[in-house]
Amino acid sequence: MTGNTLASNLIFTPNLFELQGKDTQITYSTSSIAGVPQFNYQTPSLNLNFSDTEIRTQDTEIGRQITVTLEQIPDQQTVTLTLLIPTINLPQQVIENSITTVAIITTERTSIGGPDLVNGQLQIYDILSLQGIARLVDF
């Protein structure tokens, strides 16, 4: 194989995701000028920014799960948002691709005495459908 053949087969992965859904905007970058991941969650009533260790990632069979804690009220509830990022391959010379995905907002009922003191269902899920752009950018 020649160098040109190898170069034409290079695949890149997006590192910036700009997503919109019903009254929701999410921007997630795997890095930033500061060298750490950034996550912004915006609704008509909230504008929350997360960075570095506030963002938890896990690679799974269904894609990369990006989780942030939106709210934590002791002895009542914890609200998290988990964004599902599918695998996207960008061929050489292509810097963006459209994306359709979901985010799951989980409200977990809590008790200072532990989960055994909470009656009924502990987790309640709200699913957000999202569309947008996945981009490859230089930070």
Side-chain angles (χ1 to χ4, degrees):
M1 291 187 163
T2 66
N4 289 340
T5 304
L6 288 175
S8 65
N9 291 331
L10 290 177
I11 299 294
F12 298 95
T13 304
N15 55 6
L16 175 64
F17 303 86
E18 297 170 318
L19 305 164
Q20 299 84 34
K22 184 181 180 222
D23 297 326
T24 303
Q25 291 185 313
I26 295 174
T27 303
Y28 167 65
S29 63
T30 62
S31 190
S32 63
I33 293 173
V36 296
Q38 302 287 320
F39 190 102
N40 175 261
Y41 172 74
Q42 190 171 352
T43 67
S45 60
L46 287 174
N47 187 5
L48 302 174
N49 292 296
F50 304 90
S51 67
D52 202 13
T53 59
E54 297 171 317
I55 304 167
R56 301 175 301 281
T57 62
Q58 182 176 10
D59 289 321
T60 69
E61 294 173 347
I62 61 171
R64 178 170 283 180
Q65 296 177 16
I66 314 301
T67 302
V68 295
T69 301
L70 302 178
E71 177 182 63
Q72 196 163 21
I73 303 171
D75 205 28
Q76 185 177 350
Q77 68 183 19
T78 299
V79 180
T80 59
L81 179 138
T82 301
L83 174 64
L84 187 60
I85 300 288
T87 303
I88 299 171
N89 293 327
L90 297 174
Q92 189 176 19
Q93 306 300 327
V94 176
I95 61 168
E96 67 181 46
N97 195 80
S98 62
I99 179 175
T100 300
T101 190
V102 296
I104 303 167
I105 297 177
T106 304
T107 302
E108 182 164 5
R109 298 172 52 223
T110 61
S111 167
I112 199 161
D116 291 342
L117 296 181
V118 179
N119 293 323
Q121 182 174 334
L122 271 61
Q123 294 89 11
I124 300 164
Y125 307 105
D126 187 19
I127 308 298
L128 298 171
S129 293
L130 301 166
Q131 297 88 31
I133 299 292
R135 290 189 168 92
L136 178 61
V137 298
D138 273 335
F139 290 109

